[in-house]
Amino acid sequence: MAKKDQKSQEKKVLTEWQKRNLEFLRKKETEGSEKMTNKTIVHSEKATSHESKIPVKKKVKKKKRKKINKTSNIPIAQQNLAGLVIFIAAILIVFSLFFISPWSKQKVLTVSGTKNALSEDVKDASGILDTDYITHVFFNQGEIASTVEKTNVWVKKATVTYSFPNQFNIAVKEYPIVAYRQTSNGYVSILESGKTGGTVSTGNLPDKFITLKMDDEKKIEELVKELNKLDSKIKSNIQIINLTPTKATSDLLTIELYDGNSIRVPLSQLTTKLPYYEKIKSKLSDGSIVDMEVGIYTTTPEVESSKTDEDKKEDKETSEEGQETTTSTEQNSEREANADNSDVQEVENPTVNQESTLQTSPAQG
């Protein structure tokens, strides 16, 4: 009995130890198995992540290397050239589309600076059509301005300017009006160029102006050129210019002045002789006639009307003779006109048949 109790006690003792041992072993086994499983999981995850990362990096590196190789193989000059070609191609495409569109022919044309000329006439003179491209007008601005100057009689100077996007302006400078020619239809303006401007109504005439009573267009152009050379003070005193030719002088002009006097002077000698009038006019009586056909002398309408036909014939002969000595007479007249104590050259050196005229003239006392 004692042995059985001892064995049972040993079994009991062993059993409790075993239990504890078994529990300890079991804990170790469970902890070890969990660590192993965690390690295997972590290792597998690391392995998979490492395996997945490695090819990605390799791909990226390959791509980068490929890009670097591509850019390095193309020179910068070729890249710039390619960009320039693309830019030019884009511009050509834009221009092509523009020329196809209706906007390529839509222009706004204006005229400025006109006073007597009509804006529509200037536009017509330019030759610009509605069907013309904007580029055509832009690249031919100088030629268009020249065409306006040649075509329109009023235009002295024309300038074409462009404003974005499609506006063109023709700025003009007109010829001034020098005189008015009296015709059966009224007064016609004569421009500085010698050309005829147009008919002007009486109400639009200025207060003071030069009236031309002559029809020869060539002589009118020549007269206008000579008038342009005269001082403005002399021109402002001219009222009427008549063409009164004689056998001796085919271009003789009779000029009526606003101060009441009149002058006879050849057209060819207008600029050389007419300025002398300013030096002698203060010593002339009202209504005097200053004859500059041959030399310079004065008379009056009364003396002119009292002459007989024989006297007039003698005057004509004297004038014809005087043509031969015109040069010396003009030189004497210039010296005498500048002297303070003489009126005209013929006073001291009267020619035949002129002496009686000068003595009876009121201007000579």
Side-chain angles (χ1 to χ4, degrees):
M1 289 294 292
K3 287 180 180 180
K4 290 181 180 179
D5 293 335
Q6 190 176 359
K7 287 180 181 180
S8 62
Q9 285 178 358
E10 287 178 357
K11 286 180 181 181
K12 288 181 182 178
V13 171
L14 289 171
T15 303
E16 290 176 359
W17 180 83
Q18 286 178 354
K19 285 181 180 181
R20 291 178 182 175
N21 191 20
L22 286 172
E23 287 178 1
F24 178 75
L25 291 174
R26 285 173 183 173
K27 286 182 180 180
K28 279 188 176 183
E29 287 177 359
T30 53
E31 288 177 359
S33 61
E34 286 177 359
K35 285 181 180 180
M36 287 297 293
T37 53
N38 290 332
K39 284 182 180 180
T40 54
I41 291 168
V42 170
H43 181 72
S44 62
E45 286 178 354
K46 284 182 179 180
T48 53
S49 62
H50 181 69
E51 289 176 357
S52 60
K53 285 179 181 179
I54 288 170
V56 171
K57 287 182 180 180
K58 286 180 180 179
K59 288 180 181 179
V60 172
K61 286 180 180 179
K62 285 180 181 179
K63 287 182 180 179
K64 285 182 179 180
R65 284 177 183 174
K66 286 181 181 179
K67 288 181 180 179
I68 291 167
N69 291 332
K70 284 182 180 179
T71 54
S72 61
N73 290 333
I74 301 173
I76 296 174
Q78 292 184 2
Q79 293 179 11
N80 295 335
L81 181 61
L84 180 62
V85 170
I86 293 170
F87 177 73
I88 293 172
I91 290 177
L92 291 175
I93 292 170
V94 171
F95 269 95
S96 299
L97 294 174
F98 173 75
F99 279 110
I100 295 171
S101 69
W103 289 95
S104 60
K105 297 180 180 180
Q106 291 185 1
K107 304 173 290 295
V108 179
L109 185 62
T110 57
V111 179
S112 62
T114 56
K115 184 179 179 182
N116 296 297
L118 299 176
S119 297
E120 292 301 322
D121 291 343
V122 175
K123 290 180 182 179
D124 293 339
S126 68
I128 299 174
L129 304 176
D130 294 336
T131 55
D132 290 339
Y133 288 102
I134 294 175
T135 51
H136 171 76
V137 181
F138 179 81
F139 289 111
N140 293 277
Q141 296 179 48
E143 185 178 347
I144 292 170
S146 179
T147 303
V148 172
E149 294 171 5
K150 294 176 182 178
T151 309
N152 194 292
V153 295
W154 286 100
V155 179
K156 183 177 182 179
K157 180 70 177 176
T159 306
V160 181
T161 56
Y162 167 75
S163 299
F164 186 82
N166 62 344
Q167 295 182 351
F168 294 92
N169 180 68
I170 304 175
V172 300
K173 181 181 179 182
E174 295 182 351
Y175 283 108
I177 298 174
V178 177
Y180 294 88
R181 183 164 65 90
Q182 191 174 7
T183 64
S184 57
N185 297 325
Y187 289 89
V188 178
S189 58
I190 305 298
L191 309 181
E192 187 182 55
S193 60
K195 302 295 183 180
T196 299
T199 305
V200 181
S201 60
T202 308
N204 292 329
L205 291 171
D207 296 334
K208 291 180 69 175
F209 59 93
I210 299 174
T211 301
L212 304 182
K213 291 184 178 181
M214 50 197 304
D215 298 324
D216 193 332
E217 292 184 359
K218 290 184 178 180
K219 279 190 168 53
I220 289 175
E221 290 186 12
E222 186 179 350
L223 173 60
V224 170
K225 289 179 181 178
E226 295 299 315
L227 288 174
N228 292 333
K229 299 176 185 178
L230 292 175
D231 186 76
S232 58
K233 186 178 180 181
I234 299 173
K235 287 192 292 184
S236 63
N237 193 28
I238 299 175
Q239 184 177 13
I240 301 172
I241 299 178
N242 283 286
L243 182 62
T244 54
T246 63
K247 288 183 179 180
T249 310
S250 60
D251 62 345
L252 184 65
L253 302 174
T254 299
I255 302 174
E256 298 178 22
L257 306 175
Y258 277 102
D259 60 13
N261 298 326
S262 60
I263 301 171
R264 294 175 188 154
V265 61
L267 173 57
S268 57
Q269 301 174 11
L270 184 67
T271 55
T272 56
K273 287 187 173 181
L274 197 58
Y276 294 143
Y277 176 76
E278 293 294 318
K279 299 175 182 179
I280 64 173
K281 70 176 183 178
S282 60
K283 298 181 181 181
L284 298 176
S285 60
D286 294 338
S288 296
I289 300 173
V290 181
D291 197 320
M292 298 181 179
E293 183 179 3
V294 180
I296 301 175
Y297 75 94
T298 62
T299 183
T300 62
E302 291 78 10
V303 173
E304 291 283 315
S305 62
S306 65
K307 285 182 179 181
T308 62
D309 294 337
E310 188 176 350
D311 292 334
K312 292 179 181 178
K313 185 177 179 180
E314 289 177 357
D315 287 344
K316 289 180 181 178
E317 291 175 355
T318 303
S319 297
E320 291 174 359
E321 292 174 0
Q323 292 288 346
E324 299 176 359
T325 58
T326 301
T327 304
S328 60
T329 306
E330 287 178 3
Q331 291 174 353
N332 291 333
S333 64
E334 183 178 359
R335 288 196 298 268
E336 296 299 328
N338 292 328
D340 296 330
N341 298 323
S342 63
D343 292 336
V344 288
Q345 175 263 339
E346 260 60 36
V347 173
E348 292 183 3
N349 301 301
T351 59
V352 179
N353 267 348
Q354 292 178 1
E355 184 176 3
S356 59
T357 303
L358 291 169
Q359 290 175 349
T360 57
S361 172
Q364 306 302 323

